[in-house]
Amino acid sequence: MVIKSKLLDLEAMPDTINLMVYGKSGSGKTVFAGSDEKVIFIATEGDGTLSAKRMGSKAKQWPIKDWNDLIEAKEYFEEQAIATGEINANWLVIDSATEMQQMAMRHILKEQKALKEYRDIDLPEIQDWQKYYNMFTRLVKEINALPCNVLWTALVSSLTDEEGNQYLIPAIQGKGGEVAQAFASYMTSYGCLQVKTVVAKDDEGNPVMKDGKPVKKEIRQITWKDTGIIQGKDRTGVLAPYTRDLTLKQVRELIEAGPTQMKESA
């Protein structure tokens, strides 16, 4: 039997990316997600995209009410990719993965209630949990495989390690943080978005003063590397250690320029 080589040059590999940003409710994840051109929200949180709309986002939205809607949206974009070879968007945004995971459990419980009348529609049983984790991770991988940049948002959760130290991870339920860690591992880059108060600086980098005191301002920072407390990762080579007050468009352009071009322009 002759085996055909499947070797590919790295330059021939698709250059689409999968990002994930996690943070507290109200930290600006959805506004960030809508801050590029040609964004399509896979919107699992009802009016969750209102904040992006009010900040001027021109994104489109695919409303998601249940797990079946998620599957329908995924299959639509798969078919579009097969028919045309691409998806006409800069980003597909799943807002949010935390709610998407909850939809998976609601779907399982409804199915079980339909099969077994005695089942409680709000109470998972032991056998439901593995299916829950598998459904979620499989759909994440299938969406990430689409020929388009994908951005995931998630809420933030806090865990404690064996030494008693707290650290932040995406709010994805399962196995003491293992499912959240796996979810993060499927991303090109991921980071924690936080609102921070810093000293304002002028164009020369000097502190802005008023009445003899430094002027403070709020910034939105995404930390793209592990700090001990925050978990993050950057395979693009241009985002870590953090970005501050950048739009999604600016992040995309940084990634498209690549590390070599960024250094040359610095």
Side-chain angles (χ1 to χ4, degrees):
M1 179 178 67
V2 177
I3 299 175
K4 185 178 179 180
S5 172
K6 294 184 179 181
L7 290 173
L8 294 174
D9 291 333
L10 287 180
E11 291 181 353
M13 298 293 288
D15 57 2
T16 55
I17 56 171
N18 305 308
L19 299 184
M20 185 264 290
V21 174
Y22 66 103
K24 291 181 179 180
S25 178
S27 60
K29 300 183 298 297
T30 303
V31 172
F32 171 72
S35 61
D36 197 356
E37 296 127 9
K38 297 172 68 176
V39 170
I40 299 174
F41 277 99
I42 310 299
T44 64
E45 296 192 341
D47 62 354
T49 53
L50 180 60
S51 58
K53 175 183 176 181
R54 288 183 170 175
M55 293 301 291
S57 175
K58 303 301 182 184
K60 296 184 181 297
Q61 175 173 317
W62 188 303
I64 302 295
K65 295 181 180 179
D66 57 27
W67 188 259
N68 289 328
D69 286 345
L70 276 166
I71 299 301
E72 182 182 19
K74 188 265 300 186
E75 290 179 348
Y76 171 84
F77 290 112
E78 283 178 337
E79 290 174 3
Q80 185 182 98
I82 291 170
T84 68
E86 62 180 2
I87 293 172
N88 186 26
N90 283 327
W91 297 93
L92 292 182
V93 175
I94 295 78
D95 187 35
S96 72
T98 304
E99 176 60 24
M100 170 180 150
Q101 191 185 39
Q102 296 306 311
M103 284 182 174
M105 181 56 80
R106 289 196 291 272
H107 181 77
I108 291 169
L109 293 177
K110 285 181 179 179
E111 281 191 332
Q112 290 304 307
K113 180 66 174 178
L115 292 171
K116 305 171 185 177
E117 188 176 347
Y118 71 86
R119 286 293 306 267
D120 189 323
I121 199 168
D122 295 315
L123 187 61
E125 295 186 358
I126 292 175
Q127 66 270 21
D128 298 325
W129 290 103
Q130 192 61 52
K131 180 175 178 64
Y132 168 62
Y133 303 141
N134 291 346
M135 281 175 60
F136 173 74
T137 54
R138 176 170 55 82
L139 191 56
V140 170
K141 290 180 178 181
E142 289 174 352
I143 291 174
N144 277 356
L146 293 168
C148 179
N149 296 328
V150 177
L151 172 65
W152 300 81
T153 71
L155 291 173
V156 63
S157 181
S158 176
L159 292 181
T160 303
D161 64 20
E162 295 178 354
E163 298 177 352
N165 301 310
Q166 285 194 326
Y167 61 98
L168 303 179
I169 63 170
I172 300 298
Q173 189 177 23
K175 301 180 180 180
E178 288 183 20
V179 179
Q181 299 279 9
F183 170 61
S185 74
Y186 304 147
M187 306 300 155
T188 309
S189 300
Y190 72 96
C192 183
L193 192 158
Q194 296 171 305
V195 179
K196 291 180 173 289
T197 301
V198 299
V199 174
K201 295 185 178 181
D202 60 23
D203 293 341
E204 296 179 354
N206 300 312
V208 176
M209 307 295 289
K210 184 177 181 180
D211 299 328
K213 298 180 180 179
V215 174
K216 301 289 184 69
K217 68 172 185 177
E218 283 190 347
I219 57 98
R220 281 170 169 76
Q221 175 174 306
I222 304 175
T223 303
W224 301 95
K225 64 173 289 183
D226 280 326
T227 68
I229 297 175
I230 293 172
Q231 293 205 336
K233 174 185 74 177
D234 177 32
R235 287 178 177 158
T236 70
V238 299
L239 301 178
Y242 58 80
T243 54
R244 285 184 168 178
D245 284 341
L246 294 189
T247 65
L248 182 58
K249 180 179 180 179
Q250 289 171 320
V251 166
R252 174 173 57 82
E253 289 173 344
L254 267 179
I255 294 169
E256 289 172 350
T260 302
Q261 288 85 347
M262 185 186 69
K263 291 176 182 177
E264 289 175 351
S265 63

